[in-house]
Amino acid sequence: MTENLIDQPVTRDPGNPLDPPAEYTRLREDQPIVKVRFPNGLTGWMVTRFEEGSQVFTDPRLTALRPRHDTPEGEVAEAGEDSPFDAGFVQMDEPDHGAYRRLLTARFTPKAVQAKLQPYIDKIVDEHLDAIAEGPETFDFVEAMSLPIPCLVICELLGVPYADRDGFHEATVDLMDMGKPREVRDKGAHWLIDYITALIADKRRTGATDGILAELIDKAEGEDAVLTERQLIGLGVLLLFAGHDTTAAMMGLSTLTLLTHDQQRKDLIEHPEKIGSTVEELMRYLTIVQFGLGRVAKEDLEIGDAQIKKGDLVVVAMNAANRDPRAFQDPDTLDIDRKMVRHMGFGYGVHACLGQNVARAELKTVLPKLFQRFPNLRLATPLEEVPMDFTGTNYGVRKLMVTR
Ligand code: HEM
């Protein structure tokens, strides 16, 4: 371990778009817990190994209430002060985090997703595949599939009108784009706040009972209310943007990855039953959370051989940790048969993604159906010409031209 301060290396290498940059591999071997200066000017620690990274996410001496390290140069704000909406349980610790999260968990279990969402996912995926079959031979997969499916699913789950998708998606892109200045990101956030506020008012007026938003409205009403109005709006905003942008990014990038891995794609076409392990492996291999996730030390502590001081920011570079050879055999190979008990693609510990079973259901439906239906699907442009999103909080493709 070194006390020398380095600039955080760029998180993606345009020449090698599916792997972490070589510098992360080097750091993981030589300086696995290193002091870095993040692009916005904050300094803190960066962890690139799996074991040490999982400690950061599970040790109660670190809090989730952290300042953002991934904003543009000079844009530093205090923890909890960098968002116009209430970030709710995302930045809380136990026991408050668990109590808050439990308001939602029943809707996100594998059983609930299977019973309530899977038939709907099957239906919309089939409809979109039919539309692709009837449309032009060469098309943008993002527009045709990887954006609309997660939008439709989050609308169904929350009780949000799909007709409003362009507005909420554009606002989400602004909010999540760390290449844009704070005014633009805040504009996106305010659009979503105003939208959810109006939708809540509308649901109250009409007595709507459809979707999670209506259930949450009930929890913010009356003498035994467990949510304030600001928390209710914050939750609606969070679920709307976190619930579609992430999965859309993952679906596009997974498709690109399978299109550039012939053996794995053919194996999946022949053995669709491998889709469960394929999706987990893609989550590990691609790790779309682009800039890592931070926590702050509440007291002095050790991680590996690093002496972390109270108040220090510690960021886990999950893309590097998910390729750590100490945790995964042959980590740079996309092995769709891999037997894996854990990875960090959905985060780790108590804050691990609430919506992971929804995302899994979508990916497990789209990928096998897509390649079964269009076994000759191929890239319409060379890999190096696929426009990648290097500035979004989630890494992905901006556009993916394919020929069926
Ligand atoms: C492939 C798709 C997805 C990825 C890669 C992803 C990734 C993540 C990650 C890494 C975290 C941890 C954040 C942290 O520790 O601070 C997280 C948390 C969360 N995700 Fe996802 N997510 C995905 C899909 C979804 C979906 C579909 C929903 C909602 C329907 C959702 C809702 C949430 C919520 C509410 C949290 C906060 C959990 C907590 O703090 O306890 N996510 N997600």
Side-chain angles (χ1 to χ4, degrees), residues 26-302:
R26 191 196 66 71
L27 283 173
R28 194 178 55 225
E29 295 317 307
D30 301 343
Q31 296 166 281
I33 306 169
V34 61
K35 276 220 155 156
V36 299
R37 186 186 299 104
F38 296 101
N40 64 1
L42 275 182
T43 55
W45 299 88
M46 194 175 73
V47 180
T48 43
R49 285 191 188 166
F50 193 93
E51 266 322 305
E52 290 81 346
S54 58
Q55 184 192 336
V56 174
F57 290 130
T58 51
D59 189 328
R61 293 173 298 172
L62 292 126
T63 172
L65 183 61
R66 73 277 193 179
R68 288 198 75 144
H69 64 282
D70 54 359
T71 50
E73 195 181 343
E75 284 189 25
V76 175
E78 293 293 314
E81 299 294 317
D82 48 10
S83 166
F85 57 87
D86 187 314
F89 60 108
V90 172
Q91 300 208 342
M92 287 179 179
D93 300 320
E94 301 315 310
D96 299 347
H97 164 265
Y100 204 139
R101 182 167 159 137
R102 274 193 293 279
L103 298 175
L104 288 162
T105 39
R107 294 293 294 252
F108 291 93
T109 62
K111 214 170 149 190
V113 171
Q114 184 61 32
K116 293 207 166 168
L117 273 183
Q118 189 61 52
Y120 180 70
I121 296 174
D122 283 330
K123 176 176 156 295
I124 57 172
V125 171
D126 288 342
E127 285 168 3
H128 282 71
L129 291 171
D130 289 345
I132 289 173
E134 284 159 20
E137 282 202 348
T138 296
F139 60 96
D140 177 10
F141 182 76
V142 173
E143 209 180 289
M145 188 65 107
S146 64
L147 184 58
I149 298 296
C151 284
L152 279 160
V153 171
I154 201 64
C155 285
E156 174 77 6
L157 192 62
L158 287 188
V160 166
Y162 184 59
D164 299 339
R165 64 189 176 279
D166 288 346
F168 73 68
H169 178 62
E170 269 170 39
T172 299
V173 170
D174 280 348
L175 170 69
M176 308 281 273
D177 190 344
M178 293 304 137
K180 291 184 177 156
R182 177 140 192 201
E183 306 82 77
V184 177
R185 299 196 318 275
D186 279 359
K187 189 168 94 9
H190 282 293
W191 192 98
L192 290 168
I193 294 167
D194 293 347
Y195 175 70
I196 290 289
T197 306
L199 192 60
I200 289 171
D202 199 48
K203 283 186 185 289
R204 281 187 168 129
R205 201 171 46 247
T206 57
T209 53
D210 57 322
I212 292 180
L213 208 50
E215 287 170 19
L216 291 174
I217 290 172
D218 275 350
K219 295 188 192 332
E221 233 118 79
E223 280 186 5
D224 46 2
V226 288
L227 286 176
T228 65
E229 201 62 19
R230 186 170 147 75
Q231 287 173 328
L232 168 66
I233 294 164
L235 266 184
V237 169
L238 170 71
L239 289 170
L240 184 56
F241 77 75
H244 86 276
D245 190 68
T246 44
T247 315
M250 186 59 199
M251 203 177 283
L253 195 63
S254 299
T255 302
L256 171 65
T257 305
L258 288 172
L259 286 173
T260 53
H261 287 73
D262 292 347
Q263 192 199 326
Q264 289 87 336
R265 186 178 70 255
K266 284 178 190 148
D267 194 10
L268 181 62
I269 293 173
E270 269 173 44
H271 299 283
E273 72 280 4
K274 292 188 181 180
I275 188 58
S277 54
T278 303
V279 166
E280 293 317 308
E281 176 66 346
L282 286 163
M283 288 296 307
R284 177 195 73 83
Y285 187 79
L286 297 171
T287 314
I288 61 166
V289 174
Q290 180 139 246
F291 308 111
L293 286 173
R295 299 289 187 261
V296 169
K298 291 194 281 187
E299 53 189 88
D300 292 357
L301 57 103
E302 276 185 14

